Amino acid sequence: MDSIVKKIKDLKERRKAVILVHNYQPPEIQDIADFLGDSLGLSQKAAQTDAEVIVFCGVHFMAETASILSPKKVVLVPEITAGCPMANMINAEKLRKLKGEHPGAVVVAYVNTTAEVKAESDVCCTSANAVKIVNSLDTKKIIFIPDKYLGQYVASQTGKEIIFWEGYCPIHIKILADDVGKAKREHLEAEVIVHPECTPDVIALADKVLSTSGMCNYAQKTKSKEMIIGTEIGIIYRLQKENKDKKFYPVSKHAVCENMKKNSLEKVLWSLEEMKYEVKVEEKTRRKAKRAIDKMLQYSRVD
Ligand code: 13P
Ligand code: SF4
C-alpha cells in the first residue's frame, strides 16, 4: 500500500500543485514542503510559482495573501478554521475610524491581517522587513497595525512617530523575560534569538531579533553552538534538522500556536483530492490589498 506521503506526492504532480509551508507547522508537514519559510518568503514564492494549485499549510491570512498575488491559481487550505487570532484583532471598520482620527498618517499593515484590512492600508510588512519598510517611508507619522509589540520594536529601531493598535500575538506573550533569564543561566554560552512579536522586556534580553526564516539563516552562519529561541516552538524542528551539530533551547514550551498545528498529512491529502478548501478574495478588495503587498515586495527587493 502506498504511504500517505507518496499519495500526496503523486496527486500533487497530477494537480500541478505546490505545497507552501510555514516554519511553525508540525514536523511531518514541514517534511513534505516544496517551500518552507516565513511570511515574506512564502508570499514571494506565491507570487512567483507557475504551479496551477497552491496548497497552503499555515494560517488563513497567508493563504489569502497567496490568492491576492496569484488570483488565477487555486489556493487551498487543508483546514479552514486555522486562523491567526492577532489578525482578527482589527477589522476594516476599526481601521477606517483610526485613519479618520489621524489624517495624513501612512498605514503600515503587518501581513498578519485580513484582506479587507490590507485593502485599507498603504503598505504591508512582515517581521523580516518591517524596519526596512518603515525606514523607507518619507512620512514621519505612521499608523502601525495590528501588533503593538512589533510596532514598538520598529519605533525603537527607526525613531519614527508611530501610532499603535492594541493588538498582539497571544502565543508570543507567553514567552517571558524571567524564562529567558533562567535559560541564560542554564546555558551560559548560548546566544538569545527572539521574534519581534515578543514583548519589549524579552526583546531587551536578546542578542538577535529575527523573523522565523531569519532565525534559520542566522543559525546556519553563526559560530555559536547553542541558541535560546524565543518564538513558537514549531521552528525548533527545522533548526535542529538543519544544524545537527548545534543545540536549540526554546524559551517556553508553552509557546504553541494551536492554529498552526491544525494541519495533518491526512488533511493535506484530502485537500488535494477534493480541491478544498479554496481561499479566494473578492476582486475589488483583492486589487486594493494587492497594492499594499506589491509595495512591500518592491521595497523588500531594494537593498
Ligand atoms: P514570520 O513571518 O517571522 O514567519 O512570522 C509569522 C508569524 O505568524 C509569527 O507569529
Ligand atoms: Fe498568529 Fe501568533 Fe499564531 Fe503567528 S503565532 S499565526 S501571529 S497567533
Side-chain angles (χ1 to χ4, degrees), residues 22 24 58-59 61-62 83-87 110 112 147 168-172 195 197 231-232 256-260:
H22 186 265
Y24 294 158
V59 288
F61 77 81
M62 297 179 176
C84 168
M86 174 163 64
Y110 192 23
N112 298 39
D147 186 356
Y168 57 88
C169 166
I171 314 308
H172 283 80
H195 196 276
E197 285 177 18
T231 193
E232 207 273 349
V256 179
C257 179
E258 304 291 348
N259 283 282
M260 282 282 182

Side-chain angles (χ1 to χ4, degrees), residues 2-241:
D2 282 348
S3 73
I4 188 157
V5 172
K6 169 129 190 353
K7 284 184 188 164
I8 290 171
K9 195 165 169 277
D10 291 347
L11 191 51
K12 189 181 76 174
E13 270 158 34
R14 275 220 313 279
R15 299 271 196 229
K16 295 191 171 52
V18 69
I19 302 180
L20 303 187
V21 177
H22 186 265
N23 292 320
Y24 294 158
Q25 286 286 295
E28 64 277 17
I29 306 291
Q30 294 194 23
D31 286 344
I32 58 160
D34 291 302
F35 179 79
L36 176 62
D38 64 359
S39 306
L40 179 62
L42 290 165
S43 46
Q44 284 165 332
K45 275 284 159 198
Q48 288 157 6
T49 179
D50 47 20
E52 288 173 15
V53 176
I54 296 174
V55 181
F56 214 113
C57 300
V59 288
H60 194 264
F61 77 81
M62 297 179 176
E64 249 187 6
T65 303
S67 169
I68 290 165
L69 290 166
S70 296
K72 293 209 171 71
K73 298 189 201 313
V74 178
V75 179
L76 303 174
V77 290
E79 172 55 65
I80 195 69
T81 67
C84 168
M86 174 163 64
N88 296 329
M89 289 179 185
I90 189 164
N91 61 26
E93 196 189 326
K94 289 173 181 166
L95 176 54
R96 278 194 292 271
K97 186 164 177 286
L98 184 66
K99 279 161 63 173
E101 290 162 10
H102 302 282
V106 170
V107 180
V108 180
Y110 192 23
V111 75
N112 298 39
T113 42
T114 61
E116 58 159 32
V117 167
K118 289 186 177 78
E120 288 287 335
S121 304
D122 297 297
V123 58
C124 287
C125 73
T126 73
S127 59
N129 60 20
V131 170
K132 187 173 179 177
I133 300 268
V134 168
N135 258 334
S136 58
L137 299 173
D138 280 342
T139 172
K140 274 204 91 186
K141 202 168 166 194
I142 288 160
I143 293 175
F144 191 95
I145 54 158
D147 186 356
K148 64 176 174 183
Y149 293 127
L150 177 61
Q152 283 170 22
Y153 174 67
V154 170
S156 75
Q157 300 298 302
T158 61
K160 300 257 186 186
E161 184 195 335
I162 296 186
I163 298 142
F164 306 113
W165 182 255
E166 193 48 50
Y168 57 88
C169 166
I171 314 308
H172 283 80
I173 58 162
K174 291 184 182 156
I175 296 166
L176 305 178
D178 278 354
D179 294 334
V180 177
K182 188 166 169 276
K184 279 171 84 145
R185 287 191 297 278
E186 284 169 3
H187 309 288
L188 297 174
E189 301 296 317
E191 268 187 279
V192 179
I193 305 169
V194 309
H195 196 276
E197 285 177 18
C198 289
T199 53
D201 54 344
V202 168
I203 290 180
L205 297 173
D207 297 305
K208 291 272 169 212
V209 182
L210 295 166
S211 79
T212 59
S213 287
M215 291 180 184
C216 295
N217 297 337
Y218 183 74
Q220 292 200 327
K221 67 172 198 234
T222 179
K223 288 197 174 68
S224 302
K225 291 285 178 202
E226 292 180 286
M227 277 155 266
I228 294 164
I229 303 294
T231 193
E232 207 273 349
I233 196 117
I235 197 165
I236 301 290
Y237 174 74
R238 177 173 175 189
L239 287 168
Q240 205 60 78
K241 187 176 168 185

